[in-house]
Amino acid sequence: MSTVMWPDHLLSLADWDALPEDNSRQYELAEGVLQVSPRPVSNHQWAITQLVIQLGTQLPADLAVLPDVEVVVVDSFPPTVRVPDVVVVPTAVAKGNPARYAAKDVLLAVEVISPGSRRIDRVTKVNEYAEAGIPEYWIVDLDAPVSVTAFQLINGDYELNAEVDDVLSVTAPAPLTVNVRDLVP
């Protein structure tokens, strides 16, 4: 049996980079504290895949949609690195193949609620993403009825743009329409 040595201090971005690769769980860094959660289940992955497909067919060529990438929300010590389920970034930035994205490059962050992440997605990340200046934030709730809540950053705070369980239509980061019911099998 092998023993994993967990950090006993607040992590810097260099410490975060030095952690061993482990795809058996999902990791984020919140104010230097390593947060570990189980990998998402199939319905969660289905929703992410469907969102990527739907957004990818509608975005202009200068915007790219990506699943499961690291975003540095706070780069000063102690740092915060989140891994939104889906992001939209400029294609030019994505083509640079960064190890992680700066929050300033993220035009839309999407979180799909998992068991145990409801408060983090609806309270903590709303505040973190707003403070980081991410212009659009969506929360996908897979509990029946499946819904998407879309927020838009206005004067430093998120304001509700839409909350729907059928079709989401928004104008930013580009004109987009999402069939919410297709986000579950």
Side-chain angles (χ1 to χ4, degrees):
M1 176 188 269
S2 64
T3 303
V4 176
M5 297 301 295
W6 291 103
D8 61 355
H9 60 281
L10 294 178
L11 301 180
S12 66
L13 285 175
D15 294 330
W16 171 257
D17 285 337
L19 290 174
E21 186 172 335
D22 178 3
N23 293 320
S24 66
R25 293 172 184 81
Q26 186 166 351
Y27 296 91
E28 291 184 318
L29 193 60
E31 296 183 14
V33 176
L34 185 64
Q35 293 184 332
V36 183
S37 57
R39 296 292 307 162
V41 296
S42 292
N43 281 355
H44 187 107
Q45 298 298 72
W46 180 281
I48 292 168
T49 301
Q50 293 304 311
L51 267 174
V52 168
I53 291 168
Q54 289 188 47
L55 297 180
T57 61
Q58 299 175 65
L59 286 171
D62 64 334
L63 296 179
V65 59
L66 300 167
D68 202 34
V69 296
E70 293 181 8
V71 175
V72 178
V73 178
V74 176
D75 60 0
S76 59
F77 188 83
T80 296
V81 178
R82 294 296 186 183
V83 184
D85 292 306
V86 176
V87 297
V88 172
V89 297
T91 300
V93 174
K95 285 184 176 183
N97 195 29
R100 65 186 58 91
Y101 290 82
K104 69 178 179 57
D105 293 323
V106 177
L107 304 174
L108 167 65
V110 181
E111 295 288 357
V112 178
I113 294 176
S114 292
S117 77
R118 185 170 300 278
R119 181 166 177 74
I120 291 169
D121 294 340
R122 289 202 174 273
V123 178
T124 305
K125 289 182 181 181
V126 168
N127 291 314
E128 288 176 353
Y129 292 168
E131 287 176 10
I134 296 173
E136 307 289 328
Y137 177 48
W138 298 357
I139 301 171
V140 178
D141 191 339
L142 298 178
D143 287 346
V146 176
S147 64
V148 177
T149 305
F151 297 96
Q152 188 170 39
L153 192 64
I154 298 175
N155 298 322
D157 291 311
Y158 282 127
E159 291 188 14
L160 181 65
N161 188 16
E163 188 165 14
V164 299
D165 61 7
D166 53 2
V167 176
L168 174 68
S169 293
V170 296
T171 58
L176 299 168
T177 301
V178 174
N179 186 335
V180 176
R181 293 182 183 134
D182 286 347
L183 299 182
V184 290

